[in-house]
Amino acid sequence: MFLAKVITTKYPNIPIPEATAEQQKPIIDLVDEILALKQANSTADTSEIERKIDEAVYALYSLSAEEIAVIENAKSI
């Protein structure tokens, strides 16, 4: 939570949701999966797992389909 406190102190208008342990667990599990795959094979394709993390974060922020589209389009630039 330290990063969230730094961001909200420096940029108070950026909404940072406080995720519960229940909300954090699936994201942590996916990150752990990526780390394990990359440790075994540094060139492993983790894009599908990364997509799942993105979807979990979008849900955490309750983003609309339009907001998600803006983010996805910006990622491809």
Side-chain angles (χ1 to χ4, degrees), residues 18 29 40 43 56 73:
E18 291 289 331
D29 290 345
T43 63
N73 289 335

Side-chain angles (χ1 to χ4, degrees), residues 17-31:
E18 291 289 331
T20 65
E22 183 179 305
Q23 292 169 312
Q24 292 175 27
K25 177 82 169 97
I27 297 171
I28 292 168
D29 290 345
L30 291 169
V31 170

Side-chain angles (χ1 to χ4, degrees), residues 7-66:
I7 290 173
T8 56
T9 301
K10 188 164 181 152
Y11 304 101
N13 295 327
I14 297 176
I16 306 293
E18 291 289 331
T20 65
E22 183 179 305
Q23 292 169 312
Q24 292 175 27
K25 177 82 169 97
I27 297 171
I28 292 168
D29 290 345
L30 291 169
V31 170
D32 288 343
E33 187 176 345
I34 289 173
L35 292 173
L37 287 169
K38 290 293 187 176
Q39 185 173 23
N41 175 4
S42 64
T43 63
D45 179 11
T46 58
S47 58
E48 182 63 25
I49 303 168
E50 292 169 38
R51 185 189 61 74
K52 290 178 183 178
I53 293 171
D54 289 345
E55 290 174 357
V57 172
Y58 298 156
L60 185 61
Y61 277 87
S62 302
L63 297 183
S64 68
E66 294 80 20

